[in-house]
Amino acid sequence: MNRKLTAFCIYLLLSTLLAGCWDQVQIEERGFVVGVGIDMPRTKETEQQAKQEAPDKPPVKERFLATHQFVVPGGLVSGGQGSGGGQNTANEAFHNLVSEGDSLFEISRELATRTSRSPFYQHMKILIVSEDVARTKDGFARALDFYLRDPDSRRSSKVFISKGLAKEVLEVKPKTEKLPAIYVNSVAENDDKNSRMLPDVRLGDVHEELLSPYSFVVPRIRPEEQEVKLAGAAVFAHDNQLMGFLGEEETEGLNFLTGNISGGMLKGKMKNNLVSMNIQGIKHSIEADLRDRQRMKFTIIIECEGTLAESYATMDYLNHMAMEKLEQVFAEEIQRMSNDTIRKVHNQMKVDVIKLGSYLKQHHFSLWKKIRQDWETGQRLYEKSEITVQAKVYLRNIGAINRTERQNNR
């Protein structure tokens, strides 16, 4: 009897595991969201209409205008080219739905009144927050709160700050992709080709930055008619407030200062002629003189290696002295861009996006515990510190020729 009772209990427990499809949704009923853009409302019409319908509703600090980009599977197989604006034809591969509400969760649920397929965020590739939203107090954190809490959202979704309306990024008409969100996602993966692009910043990364006491940067994106420009950076202070933007060269300088370069090009002038270098890798280190806490000194050492990609200068590239001069030209260019970035983030914005605080925490933790409250606030030790840059360039290859055509004709 004991064996039978035990077997019956086991079968009963196993049967509960078979009921795993209670919440299943057929794939053709899913509303796959591949991109979301978050803006501030441009008009008061929707808010006024809501007040008329619910006059006793308590007011809120902000309202959001969210654009959800849904995939239209039929458009993917038909070969048609997508277009934005929220209107759909048989050949379009996506459909943009724009909604306004007091919160992103409300907007997500409000979409159920407009589409037969509820939003499904597990395939979301990009999340774009407009500059207007990010400039409001705690606006950036509030715009991400719903997507950080929602178990269906992907923490690997790439996050951008748009210079202009985030909605317009999802309405571009790329020639090479059917889905604007997939196009933007692919462009963001080209940071190994251009050092003026920040490495990917994903939703999970931003969550860590929001919880940390450090300043941070997020990639900047600008929409055009048929394309986007993904270069530059949005700078956030330690209190998660948007401070401003870094230009393309300043972002390149920041990448050198933080060692976040995996490729790209570097150009300079040799005898008033353009020379270009293909970056193949860098080494980054920091030396610190911490004897005076009120005047700490940091030396950022950058070692960069690559190959000569293009040269309009007439010189013998097999000559050792000539090559040293050329390497010095590129090293001075790295120092120039790095110093421009330091002036912007250290002297003007006064934010530690160079991550010197992280260096102190990792290598001088006992000191960091004593000064962390006075790093960017309090006594502002970061602002009082001195930062210098030393750059060294190594050219490993000059290409297939050692003389230019002009030299050969002389």
Side-chain angles (χ1 to χ4, degrees):
M1 290 294 295
N2 290 336
R3 288 183 177 179
K4 291 182 178 179
L5 180 61
T6 301
F8 174 76
C9 292
I10 291 174
Y11 291 143
L12 183 63
L13 290 173
L14 290 176
S15 65
T16 61
L17 301 178
L18 300 178
C21 300
W22 62 273
D23 63 343
Q24 73 171 351
V25 178
Q26 298 297 328
I27 190 170
E28 61 270 15
E29 297 176 3
R30 294 276 192 191
F32 293 101
V33 177
V34 288
V36 176
I38 303 172
D39 294 297
M40 296 293 288
R42 292 293 174 179
T43 65
K44 298 293 184 180
E45 294 180 2
T46 306
E47 186 176 0
Q48 292 174 354
Q49 181 180 356
K51 287 183 178 180
Q52 291 177 356
E53 295 180 355
D56 296 330
K57 179 182 176 181
V60 295
K61 291 184 177 180
E62 293 104 8
R63 288 175 64 83
F64 295 104
L65 184 74
T67 303
H68 288 70
Q69 186 162 107
F70 289 85
V71 178
V72 180
L76 293 175
V77 298
S78 65
Q81 174 64 37
S83 62
Q87 296 180 352
N88 185 42
T89 66
N91 291 330
E92 290 179 348
F94 70 94
H95 180 44
N96 287 346
L97 279 179
V98 183
S99 294
E100 181 180 335
D102 296 338
S103 70
L104 276 306
F105 179 63
E106 176 189 358
I107 292 173
S108 178
R109 291 297 182 261
E110 191 270 341
L111 290 176
T113 66
R114 302 175 57 197
T115 177
S116 59
R117 301 180 181 182
S118 59
F120 184 67
Y121 295 101
Q122 289 189 11
H123 293 272
M124 185 171 70
K125 297 294 184 182
I126 62 173
L127 178 59
I128 308 158
V129 180
S130 72
E131 176 186 359
D132 291 341
V133 173
R135 285 197 182 276
T136 61
K137 182 174 175 55
D138 298 325
F140 184 57
R142 290 173 178 172
L144 301 183
D145 187 81
F146 165 65
Y147 303 101
L148 290 170
R149 297 178 188 277
D150 187 4
D152 286 338
S153 296
R154 296 180 54 141
R155 294 181 68 84
S156 61
S157 302
K158 296 182 177 67
V159 180
F160 307 94
I161 300 296
S162 66
K163 189 70 173 174
L165 292 177
K167 175 176 176 286
E168 293 179 355
V169 176
L170 295 175
E171 292 178 345
V172 297
K173 302 174 183 177
K175 297 294 185 182
T176 56
E177 299 285 350
K178 294 182 179 180
L179 300 174
I182 300 300
Y183 158 71
V184 173
N185 182 71
S186 299
V187 173
E189 295 175 353
N190 292 334
D191 60 290
D192 60 335
K193 303 293 192 302
N194 194 309
S195 53
R196 297 184 176 185
M197 299 171 60
L198 286 179
D200 290 345
V201 174
R202 301 176 184 272
L203 187 59
D205 301 328
V206 175
H207 188 201
E208 294 180 9
E209 297 287 6
L210 292 173
L211 296 176
S212 75
Y214 306 113
S215 303
F216 60 96
V217 291
V218 177
R220 179 185 69 180
I221 189 169
R222 291 184 297 180
E224 303 292 343
E225 184 177 353
Q226 295 183 343
E227 62 184 14
V228 297
K229 183 68 177 292
L230 213 168
V235 180
F236 287 85
H238 64 280
D239 58 356
N240 305 327
Q241 186 66 36
L242 178 64
M243 299 294 294
F245 292 90
L246 296 181
E248 295 182 23
E249 279 199 359
E250 292 168 336
T251 302
E252 186 172 9
L254 178 64
N255 285 335
F256 276 112
L257 291 169
T258 55
N260 289 325
I261 289 184
S262 55
M265 65 87 67
L266 185 65
K267 62 183 180 181
K269 276 191 176 182
M270 184 72 174
K271 299 178 181 179
N272 288 326
N273 289 290
L274 179 71
V275 287
S276 299
M277 169 186 170
N278 180 31
I279 301 172
Q280 294 183 324
I282 71 168
K283 291 182 180 179
H284 168 270
S285 60
I286 299 176
E287 294 180 355
D289 181 354
L290 309 175
R291 290 173 294 182
D292 183 1
R293 295 184 185 178
Q294 296 295 324
R295 200 71 176 176
M296 290 182 280
K297 299 178 181 179
F298 298 91
T299 301
I300 301 176
I301 302 171
I302 303 167
E303 296 181 88
C304 179
E305 66 175 31
T307 61
L308 187 63
E310 190 176 17
S311 174
Y312 300 156
T314 57
M315 57 184 292
D316 184 0
Y317 298 100
L318 296 181
N319 183 282
H320 180 69
M321 296 295 293
M323 289 304 294
E324 285 187 349
K325 291 181 180 179
L326 190 56
E327 289 173 342
Q328 183 62 27
V329 166
F330 290 124
E332 291 174 355
E333 182 66 10
I334 292 175
Q335 291 179 181
R336 181 192 66 81
M337 289 189 295
S338 299
N339 287 327
D340 287 345
T341 302
I342 290 172
R343 278 192 290 272
K344 185 74 170 286
V345 301
H346 184 251
N347 301 339
Q348 299 179 22
M349 293 184 175
K350 300 177 175 56
V351 290
D352 183 21
V353 293
I354 306 174
K355 300 299 183 183
L356 296 179
S358 297
Y359 164 80
L360 291 176
K361 181 179 180 180
Q362 184 176 357
H363 296 91
H364 304 276
F365 186 67
S366 59
L367 173 63
W368 176 249
K369 287 194 299 183
K370 299 175 183 178
I371 68 171
R372 59 186 176 184
Q373 300 297 330
D374 293 312
W375 184 239
E376 291 189 67
T377 57
Q379 298 184 41
R380 297 187 176 273
L381 299 180
Y382 165 72
E383 182 182 341
K384 297 176 182 178
S385 64
E386 296 181 6
I387 307 172
T388 58
V389 179
Q390 294 179 3
K392 180 66 176 177
V393 172
Y394 304 96
L395 285 174
R396 303 303 187 189
N397 198 315
I398 61 170
I401 60 174
N402 69 319
R403 293 178 184 270
T404 64
E405 187 64 26
R406 287 176 59 191
Q407 282 182 293
N408 292 334
N409 291 336
R410 288 185 175 181

